[in-house]
Amino acid sequence: MSYWKDFTNDLSIARHGEELFDKILSGQGWGTRKADLQEDKEGVDLFANKDGKEITYQIKYGHVMQRTGNLAIEEKEVYDDFRKDKEGWGKKLTSDYVVFVEDLPNSLYYFNIHKSIDLKQYIGNDDYRLLPTYRDKGKKSWNRIIPRQQMDLTAQVSFSLDLTSALLS
């Protein structure tokens, strides 16, 4: 059984994506605040405020999208040891939006933004495959696999951004 070996790399890409997305929102006049540890555990990575309106975002690195072109929404985490199985992030969505970040060649990042309510329609939907991912030893994540074409239909916004230019500006 092979495990996902590049979790540290995935986390680094996701953090770059968070930084870029924060910078994009700030450039549009939104005040932003990164979530504290408890808020992060509750499924929010970033808060954006403007004109008295607050919007919350969860940022995900689409490692399955990166490899296969499909999107994976985690439904359940199953452990081989004493730890109790948990609901996956897809079942616990609390943010207003989910931003999937894809790392493309030449420091280019692709952002695919969805309303959380739109993603919830896929959870438990047997029209889409449910496949396991072995990211950590002793843990298996069950993911609902959504074809990219389907996700593109429900995306609120999709765009690319050059990481190098964005971080230097």
Side-chain angles (χ1 to χ4, degrees), residues 21 25 30 43-48 53-60 89 93-100 112-120 154-157:
F21 195 68
L25 291 173
W30 289 83
V44 175
D45 293 319
L46 188 66
F47 294 84
K53 182 177 182 179
E54 180 175 80
I55 299 176
T56 57
Y57 296 93
Q58 185 172 39
I59 316 291
K60 292 288 184 189
W89 64 262
L93 281 174
T94 59
S95 62
D96 298 313
Y97 291 90
V98 178
V99 180
F100 294 98
N112 201 311
I113 304 169
H114 295 269
K115 287 184 179 177
S116 293
I117 193 88
D118 291 342
L119 294 180
K120 288 181 180 183
T154 61
Q156 297 297 302
V157 178

Side-chain angles (χ1 to χ4, degrees), residues 46-114:
L46 188 66
F47 294 84
N49 296 284
K50 185 176 182 180
D51 301 328
K53 182 177 182 179
E54 180 175 80
I55 299 176
T56 57
Y57 296 93
Q58 185 172 39
I59 316 291
K60 292 288 184 189
Y61 169 57
H63 68 275
V64 171
M65 184 174 14
Q66 186 77 28
R67 290 191 337 261
T68 68
N70 299 321
L71 193 89
I73 301 174
E74 185 182 70
E75 287 196 15
K76 187 174 185 178
E77 296 176 351
V78 178
Y79 295 94
D80 294 340
D81 56 19
F82 62 89
R83 294 174 290 177
K84 186 177 178 181
D85 294 349
K86 300 189 306 187
E87 288 186 327
W89 64 262
K91 283 192 172 183
K92 301 184 291 188
L93 281 174
T94 59
S95 62
D96 298 313
Y97 291 90
V98 178
V99 180
F100 294 98
V101 179
E102 203 176 343
D103 178 28
L104 303 174
N106 302 318
S107 298
L108 189 67
Y109 278 65
Y110 179 76
F111 294 84
N112 201 311
I113 304 169
H114 295 269

